[in-house]
Amino acid sequence: MLIISTIFLLLSNAVTLRRDKSILYNRVAIIILFYTSTIAFNSLYIIYLDRGIGLFGGLFHATSITQIFHIFIFIIGMAILQLTAFYPRKVWIPDFSSISKLFLYKFLYYRTKIIDKMGEQFKIIEYPLILLFIITGAVFLISTSDLVSIFLSIELQSYGLYLLSTLYRNSELATSGGLTYFLLGGLSSGFILLGTSLLYANSGTTNLDGIYVVTSISDLGNDIKEINNNILDWYKSDYINISLLILSVGFLFKVSAAPFHFWSPDVYDAIPTIVTTFVAIIAKISIFVFLLELVHYTSNSLFNYEFSWTSSLLVSSLLSLIVGTVLGLTQIRIKRLFAYSTISHVGFILLALSINSIESIQAFIFYLMQYSISNLNAFIILLSIGFSLFYYVNKTDEYKQLSEKENSPIQLISQLKGYFYINPVLALSLTITIFSFVGIPPLIGFFAKQMVLSAALDSGYVFLALVAILTSVISAVYYLNIIKQVFFDKPEYKISDEIKNINLDGNIIQNNVLVKKVTFKVDSIRLSSPLTNTISVLSLTILLFMFIPQEWLSMANILALLLFNP
């Protein structure tokens, strides 16, 4: 469904002459993702009965875990596409804003700059097409079960992300950020290709199931010394482990885990915020779910051996926790801060992944989902704050010199000073999300961190659990600094005198007939419903998780049990 839809969108893009049709293509892409998510949901029952199905001669497989994360990626994709499928601001006329009148009447308004109909994101017709390419790559990577399909999937996803980063043609910063991402992404792809080629050379098969069997044979060969069979010497576990270690370096590059994190703060900050929202979330979900099965089937062996490649994930987890926390303390730019925050969260996810017990896998699935939702909410709120400040003038010169103000209106943490006095509800939503990042009870982030730490302590990883607790406490410093500036500092904004007193005109139309001419002030221009509804749903999910925990926790538990008891 995704591939067919992408081909039709590609053909449609090729024949259209109008660049401003992008908003319609975004809406079509949302419908496509909604339809594909229903197909994935309907196939869950069949897959659950069969405990998984092999596809295309073993290149891919469909299991309950892959299908659940397919649906999750489609839902996240739909939420991100809303940012470009609807205009960010609307005119609110109280007399014509009841539900019945919204369907009966149309509002015609010509000053498109105030509604932001001329924003750069509405002129890029290829944006939804590239998003569908990336989501297709992510879906393939989650379901992959062959070395060939691993490389094809990761490259399909990565090429789309490189293109997406440089999609804003007139932005010098976005082009440089995208180029950095492309060069370092190419380097990480080289590691993945080297790892897969070594796996093939040492095992003689490209199928991951075959490699899992070979791993067990190699352990058996290492333990039974009295058998004089030279064939088993080729299948020593060290070969497989070193190959998987090189493969994991490539994937750790892609998810910006320390010590391979250095590209992400620069890229996050350089590319437009709408694009950062997608780059920061989708790529990580697909790679982590792929690593979940790889770690499970290569480290859960019947036999013990001296060296395991998963120990490198524990080292990366430790470094990510420290780097993401310490370097985040010095940041003054909000997206760089979010990048270091992400690195810190990746440390928690890798810790849960490396332990590989039923409890830790349950924590991993739950943490990955709540991280994606919280991060999505944080970026949408950041964009909404930028959209809501359009008729305010900042009194300081520092902000006048910022480049790329059109594409990333909020760049510095100090731009949020006193925002509570401008829009209290949006400020509270941001606070809820940030407190969830910190891990304040009873928000969803607290339960996710508690589950990971509990799994780590149960498995004897006391030192790593202590480091995770300490870094969580230290990271609260830079998170609480944002909240302090939002609530306790005085705003540096004032409404522009020119705009404040201006009278704006619009027409109310019914069946192409003018019903009434209306005059309104600037304060009648509000954030559009799709933005506010999405923020409301995500913020309430984060806030009220304590009252509805059973469904999420049960799903994570069932998926973990299915992985351990196929």
Side-chain angles (χ1 to χ4, degrees):
M1 176 63 196
L2 266 178
I3 293 168
I4 291 166
S5 306
T6 309
I7 291 166
F8 277 119
L9 264 185
L10 188 63
L11 291 170
S12 180
N13 269 350
V15 297
T16 187
L17 294 173
R18 291 181 60 180
R19 305 296 301 172
D20 59 349
K21 285 283 177 75
S22 172
I23 196 161
L24 299 177
Y25 283 110
N26 281 290
R27 289 174 186 178
V28 169
I30 289 175
I31 295 165
I32 291 165
L33 289 177
F34 178 74
Y35 190 63
T36 43
S37 61
T38 56
I39 293 171
F41 183 76
N42 288 336
S43 62
L44 256 177
Y45 179 66
I46 304 163
I47 287 161
Y48 179 70
L49 288 178
D50 293 336
R51 299 296 173 92
I53 298 170
L55 304 167
F56 304 113
L59 279 178
F60 299 99
H61 67 284
T63 63
S64 298
I65 289 178
T66 63
Q67 293 303 100
I68 288 287
F69 276 99
H70 286 178
I71 295 165
F72 186 64
I73 280 184
F74 296 146
I75 291 168
I76 295 283
M78 283 190 277
I80 294 170
L81 274 164
Q82 281 192 98
L83 297 170
T84 46
F86 301 96
Y87 297 122
R89 295 188 282 265
K90 65 180 181 184
V91 178
W92 186 67
I93 309 292
D95 295 343
F96 291 91
S97 293
S98 65
I99 293 173
S100 58
K101 288 185 177 177
L102 281 173
F103 287 104
L104 289 173
Y105 300 101
K106 286 183 181 177
F107 181 74
L108 193 61
Y109 179 66
Y110 294 107
R111 296 198 184 188
T112 54
K113 278 196 174 178
I114 287 181
I115 307 294
D116 198 29
K117 288 187 178 180
M118 306 306 288
E120 185 75 18
Q121 67 269 30
F122 302 121
K123 297 177 187 173
I124 302 171
I125 207 165
E126 300 86 2
Y127 177 80
L129 182 67
I130 293 170
L131 248 65
L132 288 180
F133 267 116
I134 298 167
I135 289 170
T136 308
V139 164
F140 282 171
L141 184 61
I142 287 172
S143 299
T144 189
S145 62
D146 196 280
L147 294 177
V148 176
S149 56
I150 286 174
F151 193 71
L152 290 175
S153 307
I154 194 71
E155 287 310 288
L156 180 60
Q157 177 179 290
S158 298
Y159 285 160
L161 289 168
Y162 307 148
L163 286 171
L164 199 63
S165 302
T166 54
L167 200 59
Y168 284 65
R169 300 175 182 82
N170 302 324
S171 170
E172 189 180 329
L173 264 179
T175 308
S176 67
L179 191 58
T180 306
Y181 191 18
F182 169 65
L183 292 172
L184 292 170
L187 176 65
S188 62
S189 297
F191 277 109
I192 292 169
L193 193 58
L194 176 61
T196 50
S197 58
L198 285 173
L199 276 173
Y200 175 65
N202 293 319
S203 63
T205 178
T206 60
N207 193 280
L208 287 179
D209 290 336
I211 290 166
Y212 302 149
V213 172
V214 166
T215 310
S216 301
I217 293 172
S218 66
D219 300 330
L220 187 63
N222 288 341
D223 276 30
I224 304 172
K225 302 290 183 188
E226 60 268 17
I227 298 176
N228 294 317
N229 191 342
N230 292 327
I231 296 173
L232 286 175
D233 290 341
W234 285 101
Y235 293 125
K236 284 181 180 173
S237 57
D238 288 348
Y239 283 124
I240 305 285
N241 272 310
I242 291 166
S243 306
L244 287 169
L245 178 64
I246 294 167
L247 186 71
S248 70
V249 167
F251 283 113
L252 291 174
F253 245 111
K254 300 278 187 192
V255 295
S256 70
F260 313 108
H261 65 280
F262 42 82
W263 61 268
S264 66
D266 295 329
V267 171
Y268 280 28
D269 197 36
I271 59 182
T273 308
I274 284 175
V275 177
T276 313
T277 309
F278 196 81
V279 171
I281 299 170
I282 297 291
K284 290 180 174 50
I285 297 172
S286 57
I287 290 170
F288 278 126
V289 178
F290 163 72
L291 284 175
L292 170 63
E293 297 198 1
L294 192 67
V295 168
H296 177 68
Y297 289 117
T298 54
S299 67
N300 222 29
S301 177
L302 294 171
F303 300 94
N304 295 317
Y305 39 84
E306 294 174 10
F307 163 72
S308 171
W309 72 280
T310 52
S311 54
S312 66
L313 298 181
L314 282 171
V315 174
S316 180
S317 168
L318 176 65
L319 291 172
S320 297
L321 287 166
I322 295 167
V323 166
T325 302
V326 175
L327 295 183
L329 292 170
T330 60
Q331 300 307 313
I332 59 167
R333 296 181 71 86
I334 187 95
K335 282 198 288 181
R336 288 183 76 88
L337 181 66
F338 279 169
Y340 284 112
S341 161
T342 298
I343 293 164
S344 179
H345 287 300
V346 164
F348 272 96
I349 293 169
L350 284 173
L351 176 58
L353 183 65
S354 311
I355 296 166
N356 194 36
S357 64
I358 289 183
E359 190 183 1
S360 77
I361 297 306
Q362 183 184 353
F364 167 84
I365 292 167
F366 182 70
Y367 200 107
L368 188 57
M369 286 188 164
Q370 75 80 24
Y371 154 80
S372 304
I373 286 172
S374 301
N375 229 19
L376 175 64
N377 200 33
F379 278 110
I380 293 178
I381 290 171
L382 201 63
L383 280 162
S384 300
I385 290 172
F387 291 138
S388 69
L389 292 174
F390 78 101
Y391 58 85
Y392 285 87
V393 175
N394 202 299
K395 292 180 271 189
T396 51
D397 294 328
E398 184 185 3
Y399 307 126
K400 293 175 184 173
Q401 297 166 4
L402 288 175
S403 55
E404 302 296 325
K405 281 189 284 190
E406 292 297 317
N407 299 331
S408 301
I410 303 293
Q411 296 178 32
L412 306 175
I413 297 169
S414 55
Q415 282 179 273
L416 299 172
K417 275 184 184 176
Y419 187 73
F420 176 73
Y421 300 100
I422 294 169
N423 191 330
V425 178
L426 208 52
L428 283 170
S429 299
L430 179 63
T431 307
I432 290 166
T433 309
I434 287 172
F435 276 150
S436 179
F437 281 152
V438 178
I440 303 284
L443 303 176
I444 196 169
F446 164 75
F447 293 100
K449 286 188 175 182
Q450 182 254 335
M451 286 169 74
V452 173
L453 293 170
S454 172
L457 289 170
D458 284 354
S459 301
Y461 294 93
V462 178
F463 174 69
L464 272 169
L466 283 172
V467 170
I469 292 165
L470 282 172
T471 51
S472 282
V473 173
I474 295 167
S475 67
V477 174
Y478 58 70
Y479 287 129
L480 293 172
N481 177 45
I482 300 174
I483 292 166
K484 178 191 93 68
Q485 298 210 27
V486 169
F487 283 88
F488 299 107
D489 288 1
K490 292 200 173 170
E492 295 177 338
Y493 294 97
K494 64 172 185 175
I495 297 176
S496 170
D497 292 329
E498 294 176 7
I499 298 176
K500 189 176 183 179
N501 300 316
I502 197 170
N503 286 324
L504 302 167
D505 301 314
N507 298 326
I508 305 291
I509 291 173
Q510 184 181 26
N511 299 328
N512 295 326
V513 177
L514 178 65
V515 174
K516 186 180 179 182
K517 287 192 173 185
V518 289
T519 304
F520 57 94
K521 297 282 188 184
V522 177
D523 57 5
S524 292
I525 297 167
R526 310 288 171 87
L527 286 172
S528 65
S529 302
L531 276 180
T532 52
N533 291 342
T534 306
I535 291 169
S536 302
V537 170
L538 293 175
S539 299
L540 288 171
T541 305
I542 293 166
L543 181 64
L544 302 178
F545 169 76
M546 187 177 66
F547 299 103
I548 45 162
Q550 197 58 43
E551 289 75 13
W552 280 46
L553 294 175
S554 298
M555 183 184 69
N557 199 19
I558 289 165
L559 291 177
L561 287 167
L562 282 171
L563 190 65
F564 277 83
N565 301 300

